[in-house]
Amino acid sequence: AGLRVAMFLSSVRPEPRMATRAGRWVKSCFENKGYEVIVIDPKEVLLPMLDRPYHFYGASEERPAALEELKDKLAGVDGFVIVSAEYNHTIPPALTSLMGYFGNKIYAYKPSAIITYSVGPFGGARCAVALRPFLGELGCLPVSNILPISSISKVISEDGVASDESLQSRFEVIFAQLDWYVKALKAHRETAGTP
């Protein structure tokens, strides 16, 4: 079977939103490398702001269908790609809420990559800094490179096409790291399991 990543978007703003263009571009980049990309969009996942995490339900309690569906999607991937805006110099609450529904049983021993964006010159870099410990505590350790996208409305079109050629070469760097870790950790999970 091919390799799969879950790509989390972070914004619930109305369309046309920058999350859509960033997500389209990132998804096409991974698909061009042979990956299957499962898009996890907080605007489309019908769950309230985090009120009851998955593991707070008892064995005999029925969980919301949207929560079970999301768990199944996340359990079946080999890594995570976080495509995030920067809200108030940090992680958007829709992203932390959505990812927070699950603990490290879902995320652990699978790597992650951080791709941030903004309409300004810093590309969401402060959000990327905040995402590192957040993802680490979930167990999906991020690779060392990040991909901040500055002035997104000028460098990626609404249909997800990049006009800035440097974006592709910068993507190649973060992809090479994530791809290595995805393959190494998947092989080790299959041969040795997880603690």
Side-chain angles (χ1 to χ4, degrees), residues 104-148:
N104 66 6
K105 287 185 180 179
I106 289 292
Y107 299 111
Y109 309 106
K110 297 177 182 180
S112 62
I114 298 171
I115 300 173
T116 56
Y117 60 88
S118 71
V119 295
F122 302 113
R126 292 169 292 200
C127 175
V129 169
L131 278 165
R132 285 193 179 287
F134 176 70
L135 296 172
E137 289 301 318
L138 288 176
C140 54
L141 299 176
V143 298
S144 64
N145 277 290
I146 62 169
L147 176 50

Side-chain angles (χ1 to χ4, degrees), residues 168-186:
Q168 189 62 41
S169 61
R170 290 171 52 223
F171 169 79
E172 296 295 332
V173 173
I174 197 170
F175 175 79
Q177 282 190 326
L178 185 68
D179 183 56
W180 190 94
Y181 278 102
V182 161
K183 290 172 180 172
L185 292 176
K186 180 176 182 169

